[in-house]
Amino acid sequence: MISFGSSVFKKRAPRDSVFLVLFVSLHCFSLISVRVLAQTSPVFACDATKNPQVASFGFCDASLVTDARVSDLVKRLTLQEKITFLVSDAGSVSRLGIPKYEWWSEALHGVSNVGPGTKFTGLVPGATSFPQVITTAASFNTSLFVAIGRVVSTEARAMFNVGLAGLTYWSPNINIFRDPRWGRGQETPGEDPLLSSKYGSSYVKGLQQTDGGDPSRLKVAACCKHYTAYDLDNWKGVDRYHFNAVVTQQDMDDTFQPPFKSCVVDGNVASVMCSYNQVNGKPTCADPDLLAGVIRGQWKLNGYIVSDCDSVDVFYNNQHYTKTPEEAAAKAISAGLDLNCGSFLGQHTEAAVKAGLLNESAIDKAIANNFATLMRLGFFDGDPSKQPYGKLGPKDVCTPEHQELAREAARQGIVLLKNKAGSLPLSPTAIKTIAVIGPNANVTKTMIGNYEGIPCKYMTPLQGLTTSVATTYVPGCTNVACGTAQVDDAKKAAASADATVLVMGIDQSLERESFDRVDLLLPGQQPLLITEAAKAAKGPVILVIMSGGGFDVSFAKNDPKVTSILWVGYPGEAGGAAIADVIFGYYNPSGRLPMTWYPQSYADKVPMTNMNMRPNPSNGYPGRTYRFYTGETIYTFGDGLSYTTFSHKLAKAPTLVSIPLEEDHVCRSSECKSVETDKQSCKNLAFDIHLRVQNRGRHDGSNTVFLFSTPPSVHNSPRKHLLGFEKVSLTAKSDTLVRFKVDVCKDLSVVDELGSRKVALGQHVLHIGSLKHSLTVGI
């Protein structure tokens, strides 16, 4: 969301930093901050002990409904005071007992100090750092998504109670990982709209839902970003501040919008953030159709809409969308923007009102949405220690249970892509020595990706492996760019060890916010190092790839000396422990790829700037993601192996589904390829699929059961798309029944060329593992 190196952000201070002392032990790096003085009380309004007068204000009366409280507060403010509540560094009104509040905090995969609203000090030196989102998404486990959200919100509340954090978190990022070169793909749940939707709504529920389950209250407020069709940062000179994403209505409605809709409708998220880019010629933060029309109108957002940081400034100064700053302020607020991350609205809104470009009532509406969110959080209810979560404190951050969940999340997200002749798991008794080679073998910060906080502690891959057997460590390269590889040292180590683990990949120097990749190859001499070390190795060779995006690793995939390949994403603070758990078989891998891995030829011929999801045979454009891509892949969405074997057998599924239509419906007298999904014909139109899943091997393990559908080829429909997924754990030789409920109008529909959802008539083919089942949809 932010880029401190960019000219756009020259006003911004660098991240809050703490002085750290690094203690290194065999098993972990512990981060202990030097004890510094810090605020130990939370920021809150309506403090009757400091100002008894506030007890008489309606907005401080927690027994009133939120709307009445908000209305009372707005009426008491002057125009100048109102404007201070349009910006993220919100103002204070001492006469009303309202302190300053900083809206910007981050919690992408743990409480982070990237935003100014959160700080780590001697009181709370770090927080649990879970795997980067792309790794967690690879678990395909919705209950895990919720569980992580709950832990993060607990630690956030604990830090709020001692004055170190806010209550509003601008996470998660649910943009579609459309192109493997995107530097921020690591922050997302991957390329599939359904997975992204399930991740977004589940993580939001984990963050927001209170123990009592009251939807009018919030534990913390989440924010789904970056709305919308945002997935290019800086590629070959094209940057996000100037990029106009040209998107068809069909791609908008069946690819880019579903995760945001699910976040609002299913997750009841408290906020949506509009992005920097333009969509079809309009900045998203100035588009009334996208903001007031869709988010607030169609989806009924209960909360506030916030701009990405300085994006109102960006559409005025960089995109030159308006002639004056006052017009920019008026357009943003009129479009439905409630809060500006940055200072632009604070500087130019009053002049916009005076110039007659904006009514004060539009400002009232915006700040009312902001105040209502803070009221749902209890910010206006007085002393937090007397409220729910008021007893949480430093003791509730980095607990053993939270850190164990970070390790479990990393284990579940690791994907086994190759395992020749059962080379893995390694036996800790048969294997006495391991050569651990590679620029990511002993890294700490690399493992947590971006939008990170300070973790409780680290365990590197080298440390994780060293807990089981003796290791010889060779970095192989000075950094991931690997300009010169230490090939001879690596060969020597591999030749003398019982097994070789090569920990390669990239880090934030090669994929990050404001920086997209230009190719799909492992950098520098990494391929040479892998090939030569594998050639010299006397035992199994395990290639571990740490990254957000995928690579063309066909050389390693096809090399018989590279016996196994693991993709671990950025596995979080406990990444090294999780990698060792999988390599030694203490944990049976169950992760599946949440994105397609393409060959280098894809990057050579497909520009990042082409937003079309669907292929175009006339110009050789191959399309994007497993749903539409027509070319060769290295690995595809959903790929992933296990140490055991699972079989699937269909127990129940219909072969024919009929859609009830009115007698005079046009499709009764003429041939239709699809029918509109209207409420009447779709009512109660669903069926069950029952599936018997058996673990036929000798290892206990988990299996992600995917239900895909290939619809009839109408309206440029996807080649295949995901209808549902279920993760099941089975002991060796056991089986279970998995049930999917298929909603015909939701799951068997496609989006037509104009953006309307229609049920495709004809033969649908359902795919579950290697099973295929044909189903005819008629009228």
Side-chain angles (χ1 to χ4, degrees), residues 376-453:
R376 292 173 68 202
L377 287 160
F379 185 80
F380 286 94
D381 292 352
D383 186 356
S385 70
K386 296 174 181 160
Q387 295 177 42
Y389 310 111
K391 300 294 181 277
L392 294 173
K395 71 181 187 316
D396 301 295
V397 182
C398 286
T399 67
E401 294 79 12
H402 293 178
Q403 293 186 66
E404 182 55 35
L405 185 64
R407 182 171 179 164
E408 176 62 20
R411 287 191 289 233
Q412 289 198 29
I414 291 174
V415 183
L416 178 63
L417 292 169
K418 176 184 179 180
N419 199 25
K420 183 184 163 195
S423 302
L424 287 178
L426 299 182
S427 161
T429 49
I431 300 288
K432 304 295 183 193
T433 58
I434 291 185
V436 185
I437 300 166
N440 279 336
N442 200 31
V443 291
T444 52
K445 200 160 185 286
T446 298
M447 293 196 300
I448 58 178
N450 69 353
Y451 281 80
E452 77 288 6

Side-chain angles (χ1 to χ4, degrees), residues 175-375:
N175 293 116
I176 295 294
F177 196 176
R178 174 186 62 99
D179 190 294
R181 293 164 287 192
W182 187 31
R184 303 192 71 177
Q186 58 179 294
E187 302 172 30
T188 76
E191 70 182 34
D192 180 70
L194 179 79
L195 173 58
S196 297
S197 297
K198 297 257 191 201
Y199 177 86
S201 58
S202 299
Y203 187 63
V204 164
K205 286 173 185 172
L207 287 174
Q208 292 193 164
Q209 285 181 350
T210 60
D211 295 344
D214 179 354
S216 69
R217 304 293 288 181
L218 295 166
K219 189 176 176 190
V220 301
C223 172
C224 288
K225 64 187 188 187
H226 313 79
Y227 181 82
T228 182
Y230 168 77
D231 51 19
L232 177 149
D233 265 56
N234 195 335
W235 179 78
K236 295 190 174 180
V238 180
D239 72 36
R240 57 188 175 168
Y241 310 123
H242 299 87
F243 182 53
N244 176 28
V246 178
V247 188
T248 67
Q249 195 58 51
Q250 188 173 29
D251 284 343
M252 196 72 158
D253 287 339
D254 85 348
T255 296
F256 298 110
Q257 293 290 71
F260 289 98
K261 181 178 181 180
S262 180
C263 231
V264 176
V265 175
D266 304 324
N268 192 24
V269 76
S271 177
V272 174
M273 175 182 285
C274 51
S275 55
Y276 290 117
N277 55 295
Q278 297 189 2
V279 174
N280 298 328
K282 282 187 183 175
T284 62
C285 293
D287 189 335
D289 295 330
L290 283 176
L291 304 190
V294 175
I295 300 177
R296 187 131 348 243
Q298 291 177 28
W299 300 343
K300 311 293 183 206
L301 173 74
N302 178 18
Y304 69 102
I305 299 173
V306 61
S307 75
D308 203 338
C309 290
D310 286 333
S311 58
V312 185
D313 185 297
V314 164
F315 78 65
Y316 169 62
N317 277 312
N318 296 55
Q319 298 170 5
H320 308 297
Y321 187 68
T322 62
K323 287 194 170 69
T324 67
E326 294 78 22
E327 286 173 337
K331 272 197 179 297
I333 294 169
S334 300
L337 188 73
D338 302 310
L339 189 73
N340 169 209
C341 175
S343 56
F344 194 89
L345 292 186
Q347 293 164 351
H348 303 293
T349 302
E350 187 174 357
V353 174
K354 285 179 176 166
L357 300 170
L358 186 69
N359 289 328
E360 191 171 341
S361 60
I363 297 170
D364 291 350
K365 200 184 287 185
I367 61 170
N369 291 326
N370 302 338
F371 287 142
T373 305
L374 289 176
M375 284 178 185

Side-chain angles (χ1 to χ4, degrees), residues 471-493:
T471 55
T472 305
Y473 169 48
V474 177
C477 318
T478 52
N479 53 37
V480 290
C482 201
T484 308
Q486 301 155 1
V487 173
D488 290 342
D489 291 347
K491 285 166 71 173
K492 190 175 163 189

Side-chain angles (χ1 to χ4, degrees), residues 61-74:
D61 184 350
S63 69
L64 296 177
V65 295
T66 300
D67 286 352
R69 298 176 73 187
V70 169
S71 175
D72 177 76
L73 174 51
V74 172

